[in-house]
C-alpha cells in the first residue's frame, strides 16, 4: 500500500558528502512523519533524523551539525544531506514514513541504501 524508493547511497571518503532521497507512493492521503534510520552490522537500528509535515526536525546527537533532513510535501519525498562523513557513519540507511489513510495510520520502511565511508 505504501512504496518507498531510496537512492543516493554509495562509497565516499571521510569528510565527504552524500545526499539520500526517499520517494513515497501509494493511496494514502498524507504523510505525517518522515525519518531516516541506520543500521550498522551487528548493531541495532537507530534513528538518525525525523521531520514532521510542518517542517519541525529532530536529530540524533551523533549527526547534529553534520546532517540535514528536509522534505518536499508536494513530491512525497524526504532528503538527508550528509556532510563531514565519518567512517562510523557507515551503515545501511532506511527511510521510514508514517502515512495517513482514511481511517488509520500506517508505518512503512524502505529497502535500505548502503552508505560506506572510508578512512
Amino acid at each position: 500500500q505504501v512504496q518507498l524508493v531510496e537512492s543516493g547511497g554509495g562509497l565516499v571518503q571521510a569528510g565527504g558528502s552524500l545526499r539520500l532521497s526517499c520517494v513515497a507512493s501509494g493511496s494514502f492521503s498524507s504523510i505525517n512523519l518522515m525519518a531516516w534510520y541506520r543500521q550498522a552490522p551487528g548493531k541495532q537500528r537507530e534513528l538518525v533524523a525525523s521531520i514532521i509535515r510542518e517542517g519541525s526536525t529532530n536529530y540524533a546527537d551523533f549527526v547534529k551539525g553534520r546532517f540535514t533532513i528536509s522534505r518536499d510535501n508536494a513530491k512525497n519525498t524526504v532528503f538527508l544531506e550528509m556532510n563531514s562523513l565519518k567512517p562510523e557513519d557507515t551503515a545501511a540507511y532506511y527511510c521510514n514514513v508514517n502515512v495517513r489513510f482514511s481511517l488509520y495510520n500506517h508505518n512503512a520502511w524502505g529497502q535500505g541504501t548502503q552508505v560506506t565511508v572510508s578512512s
Side-chain angles (χ1 to χ4, degrees):
Q1 295 192 358
V2 181
Q3 294 78 43
L4 300 176
V5 178
E6 299 153 337
S7 60
L11 173 64
V12 64
Q13 289 188 330
S17 299
L18 284 174
R19 188 188 196 214
L20 306 183
S21 300
C22 173
V23 182
S25 61
S27 57
F28 48 84
S29 57
S30 64
I31 303 177
N32 304 314
L33 181 74
M34 306 185 86
W36 288 96
Y37 286 74
R38 72 184 188 186
Q39 187 168 21
K43 295 188 177 181
Q44 289 189 332
R45 191 171 297 189
E46 58 186 359
L47 177 66
V48 175
S50 64
I51 182 168
I52 64 174
R53 185 170 183 82
E54 294 75 17
S56 295
T57 58
N58 179 56
Y59 294 93
D61 287 343
F62 53 77
V63 301
K64 283 182 179 177
R66 300 189 299 125
F67 291 11
T68 302
I69 190 170
S70 60
R71 63 189 283 173
D72 184 335
N73 291 331
K75 297 182 179 180
N76 292 334
T77 302
V78 61
F79 305 97
L80 186 67
E81 186 75 35
M82 304 185 293
N83 299 314
S84 302
L85 282 162
K86 305 175 182 179
E88 51 264 44
D89 293 319
T90 296
Y93 283 70
Y94 296 89
C95 176
N96 174 263
V97 300
N98 184 272
V99 303
R100 176 69 180 174
F101 288 94
S102 59
L103 297 176
Y104 61 94
N105 292 336
H106 176 73
N107 200 49
W109 290 92
Q111 79 285 357
T113 185
Q114 180 66 36
V115 171
T116 302
V117 185
S118 63
S119 57

